[in-house]
Amino acid sequence: MEWLRELESIFGVKIDKEQYQVITDTHQCLQVIAGAGSGKTFTICCKVYYLVNVKHVKESEILLLSYTNYACNEICDYLKKMKLNIEVITFHKFSLKILKLNKYIYHIQPDVRTISNAFVEDLKIRNIKDYDKLFLSYRVTKQWKNRLFIYYYFYIVKKLHLKNQKSLFQEYVYQEIQNQENKLLCRKFEQYKQSHHFLTFDDMVKVGLSILKETKMTFTYKFLIIDEFQDISSIRFQFIYEYYLKSNCSVVVVGDDYQSIYQFADSNVYYFIHFLDYFKEGIQVFLNHTYRNSQELLEYAKKIIDYNTNQIEKKLYSNKSLKNPIHYIYYGNNNEFLKSIKYLLYHFYKETRKIKILLLSRYQHDFDVLKEKNVNRLLKKCPTYISIDMLTIHKAKGLGYDEVILLNLRQGKYGFPSTEMKVDMEEERRLLYVALTRTKNHVYLFVPKKNPSIFIEELKKNHES
């Protein structure tokens, strides 16, 4: 057990029994269900250390995947302290490796608008009939708009040759490509991209998947370890699953379905919940102990998330106890809201210890309100030993703070849950769960007296029970 003592010595922590189970598990497929603040990144890095130093797996045979360069850098920091040289990359870079191994010719162009504009110009030069046909196929379900467009196109643009219409047509094409309504146009656009070997970020994984399905190749990795698996999209899941089927590699995935909050970026929590339906050689291990939140806050957040039905049942534990971790601050109008913020900040400024504070919101809009002169002036007077961040809930995921202030538990525009888009109430509730579990101590909920969020009744009912 020298490896265990060495890891605990390097990081100055005690590895708990669930973390130990993850690190030493030998199943071909492993799903780690890691609660907020349970040390998941540390645990999977320790597993890599165990594979290399105890099981003698070559470093080059292990690949760690995450979603952002920021997350990859966090993993690399742990591995550097372990003196390990392991490849840690995003899904996009993994897909590009597949393309390069198969000598696929491509040009990365992340800006779809740039390709779309070039596509319009190419049509005008090479096939003017297609150019006309594509433009006249717009909005066919709205006949009056279609007739108006035909008139506008033929009699104004083509007859008068107005110079400033070039950008207008380019914008039409771009919008149609974005909303995928004009099937003829989208098919021609895909043909154009393929003939010119253009790849957008969205194309990378899609093309990588098609190569995996259609070609025979040598597979380098014996272990795929995937962080934040609750955020997997359908196309990324298919990509990983195809690699697993073809290579017979071991797969370790880590995540928490309670914190799946990126549906707008095509994440689908279904694949995390049903992981073992696909990877039948696997087991689940729960990281149940959290080292961030108090037990009282965990139980409080759990009652909120229990209103959801599409999830894996779990319970977290903490050795930390804190009476009344939730505080409600009610205000009548905007002036009272700003005064309450200033009062709370003054309260924190009296602290003599080093603390990290998070101002948290569902929308960036609330931080624009805080740019009011007096609040701005007060934020600038923050003592040097106190740090204050202002983040949306999406950007704060994965982070921990001593104290958290949640700004917008209200109904209506810029409210919580969102009314700005088609709302998935289960995801909005997961967003609230993420917000509550960012704190090591207290959460201060700012609530208007007149139009409180529909979540408030649930929150208060659970808080008082």
Side-chain angles (χ1 to χ4, degrees), residues 70-83:
Y70 176 85
C72 289
N73 290 336
E74 183 185 9
I75 294 170
C76 286
D77 287 343
Y78 278 111
L79 296 176
K80 186 176 180 180
K81 292 177 182 178
M82 297 175 182
K83 298 181 180 178

Side-chain angles (χ1 to χ4, degrees), residues 1-3 7 16-17 30-31 64 118 124 126 169 182 322 334 398 440 465:
M1 300 292 285
E2 184 178 340
W3 65 268
L7 282 173
D16 65 40
K17 64 179 182 179
L30 172 65
Q31 181 183 25
L64 277 91
K124 287 172 69 175
R126 297 179 185 276
F169 285 123
N182 190 323
L322 181 65
N334 199 49
K440 297 177 183 177
S465 63

Side-chain angles (χ1 to χ4, degrees), residues 40-41 44-45 64-78 88-90 227-228 397:
K40 68 177 179 62
T41 304
I44 61 173
C45 290
L64 277 91
L65 288 173
S66 196
Y67 285 83
T68 64
N69 289 323
Y70 176 85
C72 289
N73 290 336
E74 183 185 9
I75 294 170
C76 286
D77 287 343
Y78 278 111
V88 185
I89 57 176
T90 63
D227 195 16
E228 303 289 0
K397 183 173 170 291

